[in-house]
Amino acid sequence: MAHELRERAHEVVRQEMAEAALEMMIERGYEALTVDELARGVGVSRATFFRYLGSKDEAIISALIGPVDQFSRTLRASPIALSGSLWSRLRIAFEPALLLAEADPQRQRQRMTLIQSLPAVGARLRRERAPQIDALAEALTDSGVDRFGAAVVAAAGVAALDRCWVVWMHDEDESLRAVLDRAVAELERASLRHP
């Protein structure tokens, strides 16, 4: 129990540091900041920064991904997680991303602009999503979906969400919620098509 508590506390501190570092990079520029400046800016020593976050890139990725279990937790907490299509279940799971975009659209677009300007970080971000996808697949499996189907749908759903972020970033007249709803509807239609 104590170990779990320490792990959760570590993750909370890590997430807060990542968020603060990302905000500094948005304000001052990725290239303009050293790790030492980021550490000072978030109020920790260089050694502490490296204990929680290994690099500037890791700070960005941690802030953008958020808690690994956020989507799976949301899916498990939903009263309709056991009904509906797999795509509609995923739509429920992605609610934390929608709330984030709705809370401060301008800031989220700035975050997306930063990640788009750093292709190597964007590629790493997609790779680092694997634990999040695995947790989501496990939640789908727990709701009755076969293991392979859950893994495929979770990976496809997260890829669709990432694409929705990019589309939304370039269209200030549309909400991320509307873009994601369109994507889910398209996935639903594609699932029903027969050769």
Side-chain angles (χ1 to χ4, degrees):
M1 175 76 130
H3 176 71
E4 281 181 27
L5 203 55
R6 277 194 303 275
E7 284 292 317
R8 278 187 277 162
H10 178 86
E11 187 56 36
V12 167
V13 171
R14 182 176 193 272
Q15 195 64 36
E16 288 176 1
M17 287 175 56
E19 290 285 340
L22 177 57
E23 292 305 312
M24 286 180 64
M25 286 185 261
I26 288 170
E27 295 297 323
R28 294 179 44 198
Y30 177 85
E31 296 295 336
L33 288 164
T34 66
V35 170
D36 288 334
E37 290 168 323
L38 281 174
R40 276 194 306 275
V42 300
V44 298
S45 68
R46 177 184 173 88
T48 299
F49 185 90
F50 279 116
R51 188 170 351 120
Y52 286 90
L53 301 164
S55 65
K56 292 192 301 185
D57 293 357
E58 191 172 333
I60 294 170
I61 290 164
S62 295
L64 292 175
I65 289 179
V68 168
D69 67 344
Q70 70 178 333
F71 296 150
S72 59
R73 215 173 345 113
T74 302
L75 181 65
R76 285 189 168 104
S78 170
I80 59 171
L82 296 175
S83 62
S85 72
L86 290 178
W87 301 118
S88 63
R89 292 184 209 180
L90 281 180
R91 167 60 185 76
I92 292 164
F94 297 147
E95 189 66 20
L98 302 178
L99 295 173
L100 191 64
E102 290 167 351
D104 192 347
Q106 181 180 354
R107 183 54 94 199
Q108 293 309 317
R109 282 189 172 93
Q110 290 171 329
R111 288 173 164 215
M112 292 305 301
T113 299
L114 177 65
I115 198 75
Q116 291 286 306
S117 73
L118 302 166
V121 177
R124 183 173 170 199
L125 173 68
R126 289 184 289 280
R127 286 192 309 273
E128 296 288 329
R129 279 217 187 265
Q132 193 174 45
I133 292 167
D134 291 344
L136 184 54
E138 185 179 324
L140 286 168
T141 301
D142 292 348
S143 72
V145 180
D146 71 272
R147 193 168 299 284
F148 177 73
V152 169
V153 169
V158 170
L161 175 64
D162 286 344
R163 176 52 48 190
C164 288
W165 275 109
V166 173
V167 169
W168 172 77
M169 179 182 113
H170 297 292
D171 186 355
E172 293 191 19
D173 295 329
E174 194 163 27
S175 70
L176 180 61
R177 187 175 297 278
V179 174
L180 182 60
D181 286 345
R182 278 197 350 251
V184 168
E186 186 55 41
L187 290 166
E188 291 276 11
R189 280 192 294 279
S191 301
L192 298 174
R193 290 187 191 126
H194 297 285

